[in-house]
Amino acid sequence: MSLRESVSVNLGEGEPGPQPSKKVVRFFGLPVSEFPIPLQLTLLTSFVFVFYLMYGYVLELIFTLDGMQPYGWYLTLVQFAYYTLFALIQLLLSGEGISRKIPLRTYAVIAFLTVGTMGFSNSSVGYLNYPTQVIFKSCKLIPVMIGSVLILGKRYSFAEVLACICMSVGLIWFTLADSTVQPTFSITGVVLVSLALLCDAVIGNVQEGAIKKYSEGATHVVLYSYSIGFFIILAGLVMTNQLLSAASFAAQFPWEVYGRGILLSAAGFCGVQVVLTLVTLHGALLAVTVTTCRKAITICLSFIFFSKPFTIQYVWGGLLVIAGIYLNIYGKKNKGTTFLASLQQLYMAVQRSLGPKVSTIREGDASLFNV
């Protein structure tokens, strides 16, 4: 080899290293994460509206059946059976298997809270306007914030405190409107939905902690929490001597209870899956925005499809609750900044989004400005 010859050694510096495989997010086998973002948003948002509007409509329709009011817990038992069946079918079809990672003791706690959330919520529909129940379920920030202040000594930003105040006033306003126009208004409904709200506020933290600690899949959580919850409700109905009377009533109206029950459960099961997919792909802020709009439309459709008295106080109470939801989200996003500074940042962001996109102008386009 002569001195003038050179030897080149490929060190691999210019070659791209192995790229980590991007996880494909699927919705019932559909690889939605591989779709263009506008198509993702269109599909998932449409699914949220379809499934949850169906859920709200069918739930209220079930309780229009004469004599159904005392059997909210039996309807919850039926729902838990269907949810368990749907989760089992999904796991078997996907080939994931049914082996669990979370201990049974933890699942028992999750199941107990799930029973409280759905059981008290279903029972409250027999005593309250469905719009009032929806508004209550939107305000779990209130018990979460009160509990963390009293137990953990946690401090919140001004925006989060204002959000809690808006939700509280909105709830009071909505409930007062309900008691004014509803001739059959009962404080029992308020107590039941408040208990559902307390369980709902706790269950999120327990589920999130267990899923993160043991890396358990969402469908496995549904399978075990609802199957255990089924036996909890069954035991409760047996001990209170309500099972036979509820089953006898349902036998007289099989389509109204079991037929509509399977539609209700299918809509709820699919709705949970699509919201989880939306959170995974686009974050909690967008998911909350979509579900809040869905709740607003659910309330409007409830007044349209089911004849009930209406007052403008419902509108003001609902707007206060929606304002509280977004103040809470914005307060969490801008933690550490003052409230006035947060408002200024929000104003500037809106101005940027509405202003001309001068950054897209290329060199040579000066003629656009008649220079």
Side-chain angles (χ1 to χ4, degrees):
M1 181 184 296
S2 65
L3 295 175
R4 293 184 179 180
E5 291 177 335
S6 61
V7 179
S8 61
V9 179
N10 187 358
L11 298 178
E13 294 177 348
E15 297 180 357
Q19 298 295 321
S21 59
K22 185 179 179 181
K23 184 178 180 181
V24 178
V25 179
R26 298 178 181 273
F27 175 67
F28 288 108
L30 199 65
V32 290
S33 60
E34 298 183 350
F35 295 167
I37 290 180
L39 182 58
Q40 288 179 22
L41 291 174
T42 302
L43 283 175
L44 294 175
T45 302
S46 301
F47 285 144
V48 168
F49 277 79
V50 168
F51 291 135
Y52 276 112
L53 289 177
M54 179 190 285
Y55 183 91
Y57 175 80
V58 175
L59 179 60
E60 192 164 7
L61 184 63
I62 290 173
F63 278 94
T64 59
L65 178 64
D66 287 338
M68 185 65 195
Q69 181 178 333
Y71 302 121
W73 281 103
Y74 186 77
L75 177 63
T76 309
L77 181 74
V78 173
Q79 274 188 273
F80 273 55
Y82 284 137
Y83 272 60
T84 302
L85 181 62
F86 295 153
L88 184 61
I89 292 173
Q90 183 177 346
L91 287 174
L92 293 177
L93 291 178
S94 64
E96 295 182 46
I98 61 172
S99 59
R100 59 179 173 81
K101 299 176 183 177
I102 297 177
L104 276 177
R105 181 179 299 179
T106 305
Y107 267 129
V109 175
I110 296 174
F112 182 81
L113 293 170
T114 306
V115 166
T117 298
M118 290 187 63
F120 289 127
S121 180
N122 286 347
S123 299
S124 69
V125 179
Y127 301 90
L128 290 176
N129 264 341
Y130 184 69
T132 305
Q133 191 246 29
V134 172
I135 288 291
F136 264 89
K137 291 299 293 291
S138 302
C139 296
K140 65 180 178 182
L141 168 69
I142 298 173
V144 169
M145 182 176 289
I146 293 173
S148 58
V149 168
L150 295 178
I151 299 172
L152 303 176
K154 189 174 180 180
R155 294 184 178 182
Y156 288 90
S157 66
F158 179 73
E160 290 172 309
V161 173
L162 187 59
C164 190
I165 294 173
C166 284
M167 287 184 182
S168 301
V169 174
L171 275 181
I172 294 170
W173 207 335
F174 219 93
T175 306
L176 288 175
D178 210 21
S179 63
T180 302
V181 301
Q182 274 279 84
T184 58
F185 177 82
S186 171
I187 195 65
T188 303
V190 176
V191 173
L192 289 171
V193 77
S194 297
L195 291 172
L197 189 62
L198 287 172
C199 294
D200 198 30
V202 177
I203 192 174
N205 294 324
V206 177
Q207 282 181 330
E208 183 180 356
I211 290 172
K212 286 183 177 179
K213 182 177 180 181
Y214 297 99
S215 300
E216 186 80 281
T219 311
H220 287 84
V221 175
V222 172
L223 174 63
Y224 284 97
S225 58
Y226 282 89
S227 59
I228 296 172
F230 174 85
F231 290 104
I232 294 175
I233 300 173
L234 184 63
L237 290 174
V238 170
M239 287 188 293
T240 55
N241 295 321
Q242 294 182 13
L243 181 62
L244 292 179
S245 60
S248 175
F249 175 83
Q252 301 175 41
F253 307 96
W255 164 247
E256 286 80 357
V257 178
Y258 299 113
R260 291 173 180 171
I262 195 170
L263 294 177
L264 178 73
S265 304
F269 183 80
C270 294
V272 169
Q273 300 290 331
V274 72
V275 169
L276 289 174
T277 306
L278 195 61
V279 171
T280 302
L281 290 175
H282 300 286
L285 178 59
L286 181 63
V288 170
T289 302
V290 173
T291 53
T292 301
C293 292
R294 187 275 306 172
K295 288 174 182 176
I297 294 177
T298 298
I299 291 172
C300 294
L301 292 179
S302 177
F303 281 105
I304 294 172
F305 288 126
F306 299 96
S307 58
K308 51 173 69 74
F310 177 78
T311 173
I312 194 65
Q313 294 181 42
Y314 282 134
V315 176
W316 304 130
L319 288 176
L320 278 172
V321 171
I322 292 174
I325 292 171
Y326 283 99
L327 277 170
N328 176 45
I329 297 170
Y330 199 74
K332 291 182 183 298
K333 188 177 178 182
N334 296 275
K335 226 169 179 67
T337 60
T338 64
F339 184 55
L340 291 177
S342 297
L343 289 179
Q344 185 179 18
Q345 291 173 8
L346 178 61
Y347 173 77
M348 292 173 65
V350 172
Q351 287 292 96
R352 284 196 300 270
S353 65
L354 297 178
K357 306 296 187 292
V358 294
S359 59
T360 61
I361 300 174
R362 300 183 301 273
E363 185 178 355
D365 288 338
S367 59
L368 295 174
F369 298 99
N370 298 320
V371 177

